[in-house]
Amino acid sequence: LQNLGNTCFMNSGLQCLSNTMELTKYFLFNMYQEDINEDNPLGLGGNLAKAYHSLLVDIWIGKDARTAPYDLKRVLGKKIARFSGYGQQDACELLNYLLDLIHEDLNRVKKKPYVEMPDQNGRSDQEMSNLYWKAFQERNKSIIVDLMYG
């Protein structure tokens, strides 16, 4: 990845993420297109997922030995102001935002149901954990959840 000013943080994070092969194959084989959630107010209308796809194509299939994540950075900067400039940011912070927003762009739950969280009422921690996980999954289903949550 070519450096965008002072954005080594972005390059290192994106290089690591692009080597998550299950996720990269999902994008390179265009499987992500079936899951785009354009109406999710928490996402970016699928634009971040599309920009990430384009970047992966450039990295893995492109003819140039160098590429720069201009489009991805532009789309991300529209939602998260701290990424709109060229200042140094934390790679972990970038990955957190990026994965969260790609998840929302690809959330297969098109209309999130209201889920009331139960009180413990004598339930074990394991039982409560299972109930919270089930409630989370009723509102969140994406490749990101499938591969990176647990």
Side-chain angles (χ1 to χ4, degrees), residues 12 25 85 113 119-120 131 133:
S12 63
K25 288 176 188 176
D119 292 331
Q120 190 151 7
L131 288 171
W133 178 242

Side-chain angles (χ1 to χ4, degrees), residues 127-141:
E127 187 177 355
M128 287 303 295
S129 175
N130 291 339
L131 288 171
Y132 274 88
W133 178 242
K134 183 179 176 193
F136 175 83
Q137 288 185 309
E138 287 181 32
R139 297 175 50 86
N140 299 282
K141 293 180 185 171

Side-chain angles (χ1 to χ4, degrees), residues 37 40 42 103-104 106-117 132-142 145:
N37 187 340
N40 186 347
L42 300 175
H103 157 70
E104 294 297 351
L106 300 174
N107 197 343
R108 295 184 288 266
V109 177
K110 303 300 182 192
K111 185 174 180 186
K112 292 185 179 195
Y114 173 76
V115 178
E116 191 165 329
M117 303 310 285
Y132 274 88
W133 178 242
K134 183 179 176 193
F136 175 83
Q137 288 185 309
E138 287 181 32
R139 297 175 50 86
N140 299 282
K141 293 180 185 171
S142 74
V145 173

Side-chain angles (χ1 to χ4, degrees), residues 38-99:
E38 294 176 347
D39 299 322
N40 186 347
L42 300 175
L44 293 165
N47 292 325
L48 187 62
K50 291 172 188 174
Y52 186 66
H53 167 260
S54 294
L55 177 64
L56 288 176
V57 168
D58 284 348
I59 291 171
W60 291 99
I61 301 171
K63 294 179 173 91
D64 196 346
R66 298 182 317 167
T67 189
Y70 293 114
D71 193 41
L72 184 107
K73 185 176 182 323
R74 181 187 54 77
V75 173
L76 186 60
K78 285 182 179 180
K79 183 81 171 182
I80 311 296
R82 72 182 71 178
F83 295 114
S84 63
Y86 290 96
Q88 185 74 12
Q89 301 292 332
D90 182 83
C92 184
E93 183 178 27
L94 166 80
L95 287 176
N96 283 334
Y97 280 115
L98 185 64
L99 290 171

